[in-house]
Amino acid sequence: MPSPAPSSPSARLFRTGLTVALVAALAAPVSGGTAPAAAVVLPTGFQEQVVFTGLNQPTNLEFAPDGRIFVAEKGGRIKVYDDLADTTATVFADLSANVHNQHDRGLLGLTLHPDFPTRPYVYVLYAYDAPPGESAPYWNDTCASVGGTNGGRCIVTGRLSRLTADGDTMTGTEQVFVQDWCQQYASHATGDLAFGADGMLYVSAGDGASYDLVDYGQLGNPHNPCADPPGGAMTPPTAEGGALRSQDLRTPADPTSLDGTVLRLDPLTGAAAPGNPLAASADPNTRRIVAQGLRNPYRFTVRPGTSEVWLGDVGWTRWEEVNRVADPTSGVANFGWPCYEGTGRQSGYDGANLDLCENLYTGDGQTAPFYTYDHAARVVSGEACPTGSSSISGAAFYPAAGGSYPTGYAGALFFSDYSRDCIWAMLPDAPGGLPVAANRRTFGSAAANPVDLEVGPGGDLYYVDHAGSVRRIRYFPGNQPPVASISATPTSGTAPLTVTFDGTGSSDADPADVGRLRFEWDFTDDGTVDATTPTATYTYPAGGPFTARLTVYDTLNASDTRTVPIQTGNSMPTAVIDTPDAGFTWAVNDPISFTGHATDPDQGTLPASALHWRMLLHHCYTLDNCHTHTLQDFTGSSGSMLGPDHEYPSYLELVLTATDSGGLSHRTSVRLDPKTVDLTFDTSPSGLRLVVGATEQVTPFSRTVIQGSSNTVSAVTPQTAGGTPYVFGSWSDGGGQSHVITAPATPTSYVATYTPQSGSVRLPQSQWSVAGADSYETLLVNGRPNNVRDGSSSSIWHTQRLLSGSSHPHWIDLDLGSARTVNRLHYLPRQSSDAGRITGYEVYVSNSRSSWGSPVATGTFPNSAAEQTVVIPPTTGRYIRLRALGAADGSRFTTVAELNIGVPG
């Protein structure tokens, strides 16, 4: 699910991605009938009803044309209901042995073939419980041996499969269509499935990267377990791993991965659908992709009658996005992640000076979102929905015609936020038209953990409550039925058991019915009315269990019913957490061991098998504004896990539920706070800008983090303050310009030292020479290296290409004649075309051509004919090497029109 961002620069602005911010609550007991849910606030005339309950972390809902309803549970089970009146589901398929069910990973995507059941195909998208090349079950839903799901070593993949239905159950074996989507971290996993009007299957998935850190493949031990290019230590500017997998389509020299993309597939084969924009590619994954640059496209919908894909992409520190792929066959949309978030550059990745981002900034940029909302702002001015923790989690279009809602909703886009517990409608200007981003209204506030939206039979909006239910929102244009509410005390105990019932919480939205409701109690559900007062008492004999039913009528005899189970001869157990106590604190990778027991008045001490544990992570925007992820489930009287690596503010909640043989449960929990430490960041001189995590800030400043946590830092370079240009020199901890800090146990300061840049004058080209180049072309073009110092923009150095030209990198060395201090290199690209123009580059300065050391400057040139200037920290040496890492047009060769050298002056 989604996650929050902090409220001020002093708070650490991190954010988990949505792949299902997994909720805390356990499944509620089943209530008879269609139960109203009183908490949600809806527009006048609308009413929410609970349709299905007792589900275990449901994630996805699909309506079959024949009236059946399919519900996916995160752990891997798919349940099917005969119709909306069915209260007992059939297990259609159990994929739990293959599904990796931890944190936000699990079975998240589900859809049916449009011609179901004639074509009896059910499609599933889930986290596969094994690293690339291995078979499930591999981890068996526990990553404790490798530091937990957020330690960077519990690697899984994503799987898209087709199942075949035979009645209400799956027949045959799972047919795997696609196995890809390397997922190093616990969120941003697989996403959603849907069919377009073109009959093609659309698929979304996240980047599989860290949701806490700037991740370009440098994290984990060993680094880069997803084997992203270029390999090795994965350092800027050339790294292409982590979140940059969302931009992998832009690096055709290596095989394309599917992370952070939308696919358009043939539903019969899983291959790229005919007409895809890159259908001519030799890479089968490249052929599948119709959109890229996504962080966590957890839910999407297809606009009815079209193949427009409307995506909800969960943001990091500030922005939630609604993205529109207007025509999936006309070209590949690039929504810009991780280089962009919302419509602006993402500070964390911008500060790392990564080629893939720098190229995007100076090149084509992003496909702008259709709509964004700020974590710190309300979606609709003055609404009751909160701000802060945010994660867009559902999307569904209302029919353009034929629905039961008022005509203003015709063609509207409904979208929801799991963290804010709200649902909104984006309305068209005219019924059935395109939604207008500015035309938004709050539809439901205080909704129950919405993680999927669907429009079902009759034109009602349904949503999946991740805590265990499916809910329907109905519209009543005239008289609204009452909402029954029932409480009973006690609901279990030894016989004879006297129970006090209270129905006074029942209500009706119609003013004419206020205070005029009628009550009918049936204490044993035998069809006999036993009482007609708002409150009542009944004594139950031994036997049972029993069901008490309350029916409430308004003045027009519209009614609503609510039930409650009563057990005699069986009393509630008591769950007890023995260890740890509420004072326990933890650091990252600290063992968190727990023990507990349960007693029952009738059964004595319950066996270990009756104890179920759930470790919850509360991920907070501020300490009082949090949403919840389920980290792991356990069964038994004891267990342990390691403290997770996570941003602050956050805390753990350990929940113990004891269930006796009669099905009665008792739940208790303990809050476990982390050990924190303050880290202080400064620059020399002070007042320059640094990036910590996702946020850029002027120094000095401090961040509170969890002890042992990983934190990415970048020194912004170059930058200007007070009119003086500065370039990064060194960090006080010896790390590189962009590196990872492991938070110590005691407060620590980190200082980035910068070098002011003096003025610069150009050396006459006659005062230096070309010492050599890796190659040059002489056939059909004068491509000799010395052309870079002839003062002419029309002549070029051109690396060899016609006979045996090699691919990048290419280099050219300049000789100053003796050691000199240099601070600029001026590069004039080829003027006549962009063929061979340099994109990524490195500059070296040395006194020896046989020993260059590390580059003194790196970056990316824009694809432009204008001269570009590289700012070099004042460095002394005789030789300068310009190393070209790529070409703007994708050529294997490099071209340069002119070079000039700047020295202080």
Side-chain angles (χ1 to χ4, degrees), residues 671-753:
R671 172 170 168 158
L672 307 175
D673 285 304
K675 299 174 181 176
T676 61
V677 63
D678 289 335
L679 306 182
T680 301
F681 297 91
D682 206 347
T683 53
S684 178
S686 192
L688 300 181
R689 292 172 289 123
L690 297 176
V691 178
V692 178
T695 309
E696 181 180 292
Q697 198 167 343
V698 174
T699 61
F701 60 88
S702 295
R703 297 283 174 85
T704 300
V705 301
I706 298 174
Q707 294 179 21
S709 64
S710 299
N711 302 270
T712 48
V713 296
S714 294
V716 178
T717 187
Q719 61 177 292
T720 300
T724 301
Y726 293 89
V727 294
F728 167 73
S730 63
W731 276 99
S732 57
D733 65 348
Q737 177 258 336
S738 181
H739 67 285
V740 178
I741 292 172
T742 300
T746 57
T748 304
S749 295
Y750 299 87
V751 179
T753 299

Side-chain angles (χ1 to χ4, degrees), residues 133-202:
E134 302 289 346
S135 298
Y138 183 92
W139 300 109
N140 289 291
D141 292 345
T142 177
C143 299
S145 63
V146 291
T149 54
N150 216 29
R153 297 169 59 197
C154 188
I155 315 303
V156 300
T157 54
R159 173 180 275 192
L160 168 67
S161 295
R162 188 180 74 186
L163 315 179
T164 302
D166 181 8
D168 285 343
T169 57
M170 170 186 166
T171 185
T173 58
E174 175 183 358
Q175 182 177 356
V176 179
F177 273 5
V178 181
Q179 182 118 8
D180 197 274
W181 301 287
C182 187
Q183 300 166 26
Q184 185 178 359
Y185 285 91
S187 193
H188 306 189
T190 55
D192 209 1
L193 299 172
F195 275 86
D198 55 9
M200 299 300 113
L201 176 64
Y202 290 81

Side-chain angles (χ1 to χ4, degrees), residues 106 109-110 131 178 227 251 381 418 422 427 430 441 539-540 545 550 571 635 638 641 651 654 761 763 821 849 867:
L110 176 72
V178 181
T251 59
S381 179
Y418 164 81
C422 281
L427 306 178
R441 68 174 58 172
T539 300
Y540 287 88
L550 169 64
S571 299
T635 298
S638 63
M641 63 173 287
Y651 63 92
L654 179 64
V761 296
L763 278 180
T821 299
R849 292 182 66 206
E867 183 179 72

Side-chain angles (χ1 to χ4, degrees), residues 237-240 244 247 249-252 334 336 338-340 345 349-350 352-366 827 837-842 858-864 868 884-890:
T238 58
E240 299 176 8
L244 290 169
Q247 298 291 327
L249 191 63
R250 296 172 50 223
T251 59
N334 186 352
C339 311
Y340 292 86
R345 296 186 183 189
Y349 286 90
D350 186 15
N353 291 348
L354 296 154
D355 284 347
L356 275 173
C357 287
E358 301 302 319
N359 287 343
L360 199 60
Y361 299 146
T362 58
D364 294 335
Q366 65 170 162
Y827 155 67
R837 285 180 182 167
I838 298 173
T839 52
Y841 66 84
E842 297 172 344
T858 62
T860 302
F861 293 128
N863 184 7
S864 166
Q868 306 297 317
L885 306 179
D889 66 333

Side-chain angles (χ1 to χ4, degrees), residues 279-329:
S281 172
D283 187 313
N285 278 353
T286 297
R287 296 195 294 268
R288 291 178 165 119
I289 296 172
V290 296
Q292 63 174 329
L294 295 161
R295 182 176 184 262
N296 188 8
Y298 174 71
R299 287 290 175 254
F300 71 88
T301 189
V302 177
R303 190 173 172 228
T306 76
S307 293
E308 294 179 18
V309 178
W310 292 65
L311 297 142
D313 194 18
V314 181
W316 189 7
T317 62
R318 184 172 179 183
W319 297 104
E320 301 301 296
E321 298 178 11
V322 174
N323 294 309
R324 179 191 180 205
V325 183
D327 183 355
T329 62

